[in-house]
Amino acid sequence: MALTGLDIFKLTPRKNCKECGFPTCMAFAMKVASGAVEIEKCPHISDEAKAKLSEATAPPMRTIKVGTGDYEKALGGETVLFRHEKTFVNRNLFAVQFADQMTDDEVSGKIANLKKVDYERIGEQMHVEAVAVKYTGNKERYLDVIKQLKDLNKVFILVCDDAAVAAEAVALVKETKPVLVGANAGNLDEMVKLAKDNGVVLGLSADTVEDLYALAEKAQGLDYKELVLNTTGENIAKTFEKTIEVRRTALEGKDRTFGYPSIVFVNDLAKDNAYLQTALAATFILKYGSIIVLDDIEYANALPLFALRQNIFTDPQKPMRVEPKVYEFANPDAESPVLLTVDFALTYFVVSGEIERAKVPAYLAVPDAGGLSVLTSWAAGKLGASVIRDMIKNSGLEEKLTRKRLVLPGKVAVLKGEVEEELPGWEIIVGPEEAMQIPKFLRELN
Amino acid sequence: MQKFMIIGERIHCISPVIRKALEERDPEPILKRAKEQIAAGAAYLDVNIGPAEKDGEEIMQWVVQLIQSECDNIPLALDTANKKAIEAGIKVYNRSKGKPIINSADAGDRIDNINLAAANDAMCIALCAKEGIPRDNDERMMYCQQMLERAMEAGMDPEDLLFDPLFLVIKGMQEKQVEVLEAIKMMSEMGLKTTGGLSNVSNGAPKHLRPVLDAYTLAMAMMCGLTSAIANPCDPKLQEAVKTCDIILGNTLYADSYLEL
Amino acid sequence: MAYTKVAKKYSGKINEVTLGTGDKAITIGGRNVLPFHHFDGEIGHPPKVGIEITDIVPDDWNNALKNLYGDVMGDAAKWAKYVEDNYAPDFICLHFVGASPDGANKSVEECVEVAKQVAAAITTPLVVAGCKNDEKDGELFAAVAEALQGKNILILAAKEENYKTVGAAGALAYQQKVAAESSVDINLAKQLNILMNQLGVKAEDMVMHLGVAAAGYGFEYLSSTMDRVVLAALGQNDTTLQMPIITPVSFETWGVKEAVATEADEPEWGSAEERGIHMEVATAAACLVSGADAVIVRHPKSLQTVKSLIEGLLE
Ligand code: SF4
């Protein structure tokens, strides 16, 4: 975070002795704030003030890496509380929780689900990135479950506050850079040592925000900063409060004691209510959960949650684009019409949504139009007759169709003549101007 | 960012109407100007009762209570050289809409007004001058620092100081204008709040030019970070400038009707 | 060092708006903090959740919902009563999909008749939504507002194209509440509020419909629009944006592929009903934490879930 001249001025001794080469301490402070001068140029600055300054110019929230190799993920590193202010940089991770008291069937069921829910959406592979394994008293079984999960290549989150058991568990997976959620006020020293010795990210848990703060401070005092803060509280309201306070204390209060990623066990809050779990997960995708732990993953909860995460963590400066290709709706055949739109994700979604709604078999051709809306891409020369021709020629549609009809977006009706010239044999139809009118248009098209 | 704040300047003893009303304790002209300014968007009203050496305390209390009771406790800047009158005014002042502003302290004789503000949890306009006009910006910033230090020693939040770089008349001191703007920029970069008597710049200019000079100066000053001004909110040109600059600077959200608000 | 809380005090406050009459009347808004930030200040009224029904039997609804409601769907009044008796939502949204000139094209008179019957059958506050055709909606809303005078309904919504008709009839002539609809366009949202206000509609008779998107379908635009509106309303004390926000989540969530695709289309995906509910509760939750003061859902299980979430967040 940038400091203002005033912040720095407060750190100067205010002697106005001119030894720094400036007429006043204030003039000096302003130069330091703008980065033109080093604070060391003032011989009277105390070490304490220097420490404060370097502290204050470091990023407010650490980026913590978990997992290794292809499975490495970055957490935290955020600089803003609202995505429109800049962007959220590191998307949250999802984890599915296992435990030592689960039967083999339960374990294998969840493993199967983890493998099954793995799909692509707008250029991103969607799957759960982490597995949490909770210790509830049966050590042999605990270690056994961990072993069963190793082949999945997920980030391990070991949930265990028994230092001796944790040590054995860590030994099994330490080369994967796991997270150990197990430190509390009672075992901090041991846990920090374990984490330090094995290069493990340590998760801290405490009942209240104040206790969590004290704990983080102590961990830092033991010179360990590879931390994750467990912000799960006794109920939903407390969890929300803790998670918000941790993030904004770091970003707005510029207090790096809370400048770490969070982990939220929404599975515990939802108490076996799968719908509530989804609602809670959505809540913490927006409000500052870095790792969100679920009971299980199925398509039903994965589809909205991954999609929401993809939206929230997209860079506001770069519009999302869909892959340029021909999309199919309701099993189209050789007679079905071909609609045309652009690869700007929002436009694509509105148009495809309306085609879905119409329940009429159709193709949707999406050329590479620079990720812009229909009119903008047309104006920028990215949706001209030649682009459309190349798209159609390369798509294989000509060979497939017996009846060749291409529907242009109503907004670029002007292209009709040119496209007719470029695509002989095709009937070029001008479609509606607004996506809303597509269902009616399609139903009446014959 | 906060919206730009106008401190309405029209209740000033230099106006014969107001001077007479203050003398005769006649509410009508004072309230009329207060309400006009509030309707035009003034966030604060400056109340200048003149030197008022004799009955300053009584006048200030009367006018503070009069305006606040009739105008929904609009916050005020108390403007007089008579310290006792300021203290008396603060005693009856209602803070529900904002702290009182003391207008003003400087780096010379009136620096104690900062302590007065600190003691009364008031805000204070800090004029970056001592005797006459500061020679250059080094001097200006020196005064700025002196007042800032005084405030910090007195336990005042720097947020409560509004630094006034001292706007200068264009007709006569044209060569100083850029310097004033640069001073505003430096103070803003320091993280300080700023204000100033804007209409100084157009003093002596033909009547039809005054709003033009004021409005463009204000726009340029806002670009340098100026956060408030003591000015005439009822001037439509000035209003246009403030509202438009607030939009460009992102201090308010744009809507097609933004000028009508 | 002891923990210092970053306290957030805002000068602005969301207006309070009351819908309906009698015991079941509801009030939304009234907070001077970000959504569910009970630890910062005055939380106002908890957000409210309504259920969507339609004037005619909808042809594109999920079969599970059709099975759930069965015959009552054929009679909007019975349907509304059924929803009130069995699910007790905070309000009911009567969605006039049948009015659409592109669809069943029911006449304004027919629609008014349905609205009257529904209003007579229930005591729960009523929200009336249109068919997306601005002209038809303008006439429809004016007529419904008149017919239901005294019921204090919410008209969803007035748009740039028809706000004069809808605002004048709805709020001015017949004292109903009116939502101003802008499609994820923050400057239009503000402008529309100003225009309605200039028409004479009082701020406390208005809510905002800032647009709606399902999770995954440009939701970031909606979320950021809400963030910016709420921050302007609270932080900048912008009185032209302090109306509470209503978001008809169900209008979008049940139309996206994740909810529409049949089990035959996507065998791996499982039950379409389940997918629809998850999509609906995820989107509703995301809207609520972004600033919605009321949301509309379709599935009774979504209603239950979102109510539990709100209670949980405010416990
Ligand atoms: S050397 Fe240090 S104390 Fe001396 S004027 Fe410069 S900043 Fe101030």
Side-chain angles (χ1 to χ4, degrees):
Chain A
M1 285 305 283
L3 286 181
T4 65
L6 184 59
D7 297 324
I8 294 163
F9 176 62
K10 286 179 184 164
L11 299 174
T12 66
R14 308 205 279 278
K15 290 179 193 250
N16 296 335
C17 68
K18 300 193 173 64
E19 284 172 43
C20 55
F22 293 91
T24 60
C25 297
M26 183 142 106
F28 174 72
M30 288 167 58
K31 288 290 173 197
V32 176
S34 69
V37 184
E38 296 282 310
I39 187 97
E40 280 74 20
K41 280 273 182 297
C42 166
H44 307 288
I45 290 270
S46 69
D47 287 344
E48 191 192 346
K50 275 185 215 160
K52 257 195 197 161
L53 189 72
S54 71
E55 166 90 339
T57 43
M61 186 185 187
R62 288 177 70 91
T63 303
I64 302 287
K65 300 262 173 68
V66 296
T68 48
D70 292 347
Y71 307 98
E72 185 183 83
K73 301 282 172 205
L75 295 170
E78 302 296 345
T79 56
V80 293
L81 288 174
F82 298 95
R83 58 176 291 285
H84 68 265
E85 294 171 332
K86 201 164 184 189
T87 175
F88 291 159
V89 290
N90 287 315
R91 57 195 54 199
N92 67 275
L93 301 188
F94 289 110
V96 161
Q97 182 167 298
F98 292 79
D100 52 17
Q101 87 274 40
M102 282 178 190
T103 63
D104 277 333
D105 281 353
E106 283 176 278
V107 170
S108 55
K110 287 194 193 199
I111 292 178
N113 280 347
L114 282 170
K115 288 183 177 159
K116 182 168 136 188
V117 178
D118 194 344
Y119 59 99
E120 197 194 305
R121 185 179 202 272
I122 324 178
E124 190 192 334
Q125 200 59 31
M126 303 292 189
H127 58 88
V128 166
E129 298 87 358
V131 286
V133 198
K134 185 172 179 168
Y135 174 67
T136 65
N138 184 343
K139 187 178 91 178
E140 293 317 314
R141 176 68 178 156
Y142 186 60
L143 300 175
D144 177 50
V145 172
I146 293 174
K147 282 181 205 147
Q148 287 189 47
L149 298 172
K150 274 191 91 167
D151 292 344
L152 287 172
N153 286 322
K154 305 279 181 195
V155 174
F156 269 101
I157 298 167
L158 305 172
V159 186
C160 173
D161 57 10
D162 181 320
V165 178
E168 289 189 49
V170 164
L172 290 177
V173 294
K174 69 176 179 192
E175 72 288 351
T176 67
K177 194 151 192 216
V179 183
L180 169 60
V181 180
N184 53 43
N187 66 12
L188 186 71
D189 290 342
E190 280 171 280
M191 285 294 189
V192 167
K193 183 166 183 326
L194 179 61
K196 257 191 192 174
D197 292 347
N198 295 285
V200 167
V201 174
L202 188 61
L204 310 180
S205 308
D207 286 344
T208 65
V209 182
E210 291 79 11
D211 292 347
L212 190 59
Y213 187 85
L215 199 59
E217 217 173 20
K218 262 198 207 149
Q220 294 189 119
L222 296 169
D223 200 26
Y224 204 59
K225 295 193 170 175
E226 291 288 290
L227 304 175
V228 165
L229 305 174
N230 178 6
T231 54
T232 318
E234 63 191 273
N235 61 28
I236 295 172
K238 287 272 182 272
T239 306
F240 187 72
E241 175 176 357
K242 251 188 189 174
T243 314
I244 299 241
E245 290 212 7
V246 162
R247 181 69 61 91
R248 76 180 184 194
T249 301
L251 300 192
E252 229 162 87
K254 300 177 194 171
D255 184 342
R256 252 171 314 298
T257 304
F258 267 167
Y260 298 96
S262 63
I263 179 167
V264 188
F265 289 85
V266 301
N267 56 334
D268 289 342
L269 300 172
K271 305 206 166 66
D272 292 329
N273 179 338
Y275 303 133
L276 184 58
Q277 177 173 270
T278 295
L280 285 165
T283 301
F284 289 104
I285 289 173
L286 271 90
K287 294 299 167 193
Y288 319 139
S290 309
I291 303 175
I292 296 174
V293 184
L294 306 169
D295 261 333
D296 205 350
I297 195 76
E298 286 176 47
Y299 272 96
N301 59 350
L303 292 169
L305 292 179
F306 287 128
L308 182 64
R309 178 178 73 172
Q310 187 173 41
N311 276 176
I312 297 303
F313 287 87
T314 177
D315 183 347
Q317 318 307 334
K318 283 189 226 133
M320 276 208 296
R321 295 170 67 171
V322 295
E323 186 193 344
K325 65 170 194 179
V326 176
Y327 295 83
E328 301 190 352
F329 297 84
N331 305 315
D333 57 24
E335 299 271 292
S336 305
V338 181
L339 284 78
L340 184 91
T341 190
V342 289
D343 57 343
F344 177 40
L346 204 53
T347 306
Y348 168 81
F349 282 137
V350 172
V351 171
S352 62
E354 294 297 340
I355 303 176
E356 300 265 4
R357 217 170 287 212
K359 297 202 175 94
V360 174
Y363 298 93
L364 180 61
V366 179
D368 177 351
L372 304 167
S373 70
V374 170
L375 270 182
T376 332
S377 59
W378 170 73
K382 297 190 182 220
L383 187 67
S386 55
V387 172
I388 296 171
R389 177 202 59 210
D390 293 347
M391 163 81 206
I392 296 295
K393 295 274 180 205
N394 296 332
S395 67
L397 280 170
E398 294 218 297
E399 296 76 47
K400 204 176 201 170
L401 298 183
T402 52
R403 190 168 172 205
K404 300 186 192 110
R405 290 174 299 170
L406 180 66
V407 181
L408 297 178
K411 293 212 167 120
V412 288
V414 290
L415 282 173
K416 184 170 188 266
E418 285 176 52
V419 177
E420 269 166 354
E421 275 174 37
E422 297 282 356
L423 287 175
W426 282 76
E427 183 189 349
I428 308 299
I429 304 162
V430 173
E433 287 214 6
E434 298 296 333
M436 216 182 86
Q437 299 147 346
I438 290 177
K440 183 173 178 315
F441 170 85
L442 277 181
R443 271 183 239 124
E444 287 168 6
L445 185 74
N446 45 45
Chain B
M1 275 294 286
Q2 288 279 314
K3 250 165 73 168
F4 189 78
M5 180 171 99
I6 292 191
I7 305 172
E9 67 180 5
R10 302 195 64 234
I11 302 176
H12 199 292
C13 72
I14 223 143
S15 141
V17 188
I18 295 295
R19 195 161 57 231
K20 185 156 169 281
L22 285 171
E23 262 163 36
E24 296 171 4
R25 307 284 193 273
D26 175 9
E28 215 43 49
I30 294 172
L31 287 177
K32 181 165 173 281
R33 286 201 173 181
K35 285 179 179 158
E36 279 169 7
Q37 294 187 93
I38 294 167
Y44 264 83
L45 298 183
D46 188 70
V47 181
N48 182 307
I49 60 166
E53 279 167 21
K54 205 162 49 40
D55 48 0
E57 291 161 62
E58 195 202 322
I59 295 186
M60 191 57 101
Q61 291 203 330
W62 174 76
V63 71
V64 165
Q65 283 174 310
L66 171 73
I67 298 173
Q68 286 205 313
S69 63
E70 290 292 319
C71 303
D72 194 22
N73 293 321
I74 180 90
L76 304 173
L78 310 183
D79 189 357
T80 170
N82 180 343
K83 267 194 180 182
K84 287 242 157 59
I86 290 181
E87 275 186 306
I90 292 177
K91 276 208 187 80
V92 297
Y93 181 93
N94 182 316
R95 295 167 177 266
S96 59
K97 295 280 161 69
K99 293 180 184 180
I101 298 178
I102 295 177
N103 189 3
S104 58
D106 66 11
D109 297 343
R110 281 188 287 150
I111 195 160
D112 290 341
N113 273 345
I114 290 178
N115 301 73
L116 185 67
N120 288 285
D121 189 25
M123 292 164 63
C124 188
I125 293 174
L127 190 64
C128 297
K130 199 164 186 174
E131 289 125 11
I133 297 162
R135 202 179 316 119
D136 54 22
N137 274 344
D138 282 348
E139 196 177 316
R140 255 200 194 86
M141 295 312 286
M142 173 72 93
Y143 296 145
C144 175
Q145 179 181 340
Q146 283 170 7
M147 290 186 285
L148 181 60
E149 280 178 16
R150 177 68 77 102
M152 282 161 50
E153 276 159 28
M156 205 172 162
D157 184 349
E159 286 267 298
D160 282 340
L161 284 177
L162 303 176
F163 288 92
D164 181 345
L166 192 58
F167 280 101
L168 299 170
V169 61
I170 293 175
K171 191 172 166 183
M173 284 192 254
Q174 193 178 349
E175 73 288 355
K176 294 272 189 193
Q177 299 300 318
V178 173
E179 200 172 87
V180 174
L181 293 174
E182 279 169 358
I184 295 171
K185 195 157 181 221
M186 286 192 265
M187 292 171 190
S188 307
E189 280 170 1
M190 272 294 285
L192 302 172
K193 289 188 175 171
T194 44
T195 192
L198 182 67
S199 48
N200 277 356
V201 299
S202 60
N203 254 329
K207 207 168 169 205
H208 71 282
L209 286 182
R210 294 201 64 173
V212 179
L213 291 166
D214 290 351
Y216 284 95
T217 305
L218 184 85
M220 295 179 79
M222 281 181 74
M223 182 61 220
C224 296
L226 189 73
T227 49
S228 68
I230 307 163
N232 177 7
C234 305
D235 168 1
K237 261 243 155 8
L238 193 76
Q239 269 190 19
E240 243 175 56
V242 171
K243 286 176 181 170
T244 306
C245 291
D246 264 337
I247 295 280
I248 295 169
L249 294 171
N251 300 341
T252 44
L253 283 171
Y254 175 82
D256 289 344
S257 298
Y258 80 91
L259 278 183
E260 296 156 40
L261 291 176
Chain C
M1 233 171 48
Y3 173 62
T4 13
K5 177 176 161 149
V6 177
K8 272 280 162 198
K9 294 276 171 266
Y10 295 107
S11 48
K13 187 174 171 184
I14 307 299
N15 300 336
E16 295 183 42
V17 176
T18 299
L19 302 182
T21 56
D23 293 348
K24 288 201 183 142
I26 54 169
T27 304
I28 52 176
R31 66 185 151 84
N32 63 4
V33 293
L34 295 174
F36 304 107
H37 284 46
H38 49 89
F39 37 91
D40 279 347
E42 197 46 60
I43 198 68
H45 304 276
K48 300 293 186 284
V49 193
I51 283 229
E52 177 191 3
I53 65 170
T54 55
D55 60 328
I56 56 167
V57 181
D59 56 9
D60 58 350
W61 278 34
N62 186 292
N63 278 329
L65 281 160
K66 291 192 181 168
N67 294 338
L68 176 76
Y69 286 127
D71 289 344
V72 298
M73 274 179 132
D75 179 336
K78 282 192 191 141
W79 188 359
K81 179 73 179 139
Y82 182 87
V83 165
E84 178 177 273
D85 290 346
N86 291 283
Y87 308 123
D90 295 319
F91 61 91
I92 290 175
C93 172
L94 173 58
H95 193 177
F96 277 104
V97 291
S100 173
D102 298 338
N105 202 14
K106 296 277 181 194
S107 71
V108 168
E109 293 70 33
E110 287 172 287
C111 293
V112 167
E113 208 35 57
V114 172
K116 277 198 207 158
Q117 287 167 6
V118 168
I122 57 172
T123 53
T124 303
L126 186 63
V127 172
V128 171
C131 64
K132 284 191 180 175
N133 180 301
D134 302 331
E135 210 184 311
K136 182 75 173 273
D137 282 348
E139 295 168 35
L140 172 64
F141 288 145
V144 170
E146 180 179 6
L148 300 191
Q149 202 174 357
K151 294 278 183 186
N152 198 21
I153 63 166
L154 173 69
I155 293 171
L156 189 73
K159 290 170 63 177
E160 198 181 11
E161 293 79 9
N162 61 16
Y163 77 93
K164 281 191 182 140
T165 332
V166 179
L172 297 178
Y174 306 113
Q175 296 90 41
Q176 313 284 14
K177 303 295 193 276
V178 178
E181 176 177 354
S182 48
S183 325
V184 199
D185 177 341
I186 191 164
N187 301 120
L188 178 59
K190 178 163 170 167
Q191 179 66 6
L192 208 47
N193 290 346
I194 297 169
L195 292 173
M196 296 264 281
N197 193 260
Q198 286 174 345
L199 199 65
V201 182
K202 287 184 291 213
E204 58 267 32
D205 291 336
M206 288 169 60
V207 304
M208 289 186 281
H209 169 11
L210 296 173
V212 53
Y217 292 81
F219 188 84
E220 71 274 26
Y221 296 93
L222 178 62
S223 169
S224 285
T225 301
M226 286 192 187
D227 282 344
R228 292 175 64 199
V229 165
V230 170
L231 289 172
L234 299 178
Q236 297 178 340
N237 197 10
D238 189 332
T239 54
T240 63
L241 288 169
Q242 286 171 345
M243 296 74 186
I245 299 167
I246 185 168
T247 310
V249 169
S250 57
F251 294 10
E252 282 297 322
T253 52
W254 292 91
V256 298
K257 188 170 182 219
E258 286 82 345
V260 169
T262 62
E263 282 135 65
D265 293 341
E266 297 283 352
E268 288 222 300
W269 283 13
S271 147
E273 180 187 17
E274 285 296 305
R275 281 184 265 128
I277 299 171
H278 281 277
M279 179 51 94
E280 183 154 73
V281 299
T283 306
C287 288
L288 288 167
V289 290
S290 300
D293 299 281
V295 291
I296 299 170
V297 296
R298 192 173 285 178
H299 203 294
K301 286 186 180 153
S302 305
L303 170 76
Q304 244 175 31
T305 307
V306 178
K307 291 297 277 180
S308 316
L309 176 74
I310 293 169
E311 276 163 31
L313 282 167
L314 293 175
E315 201 176 321

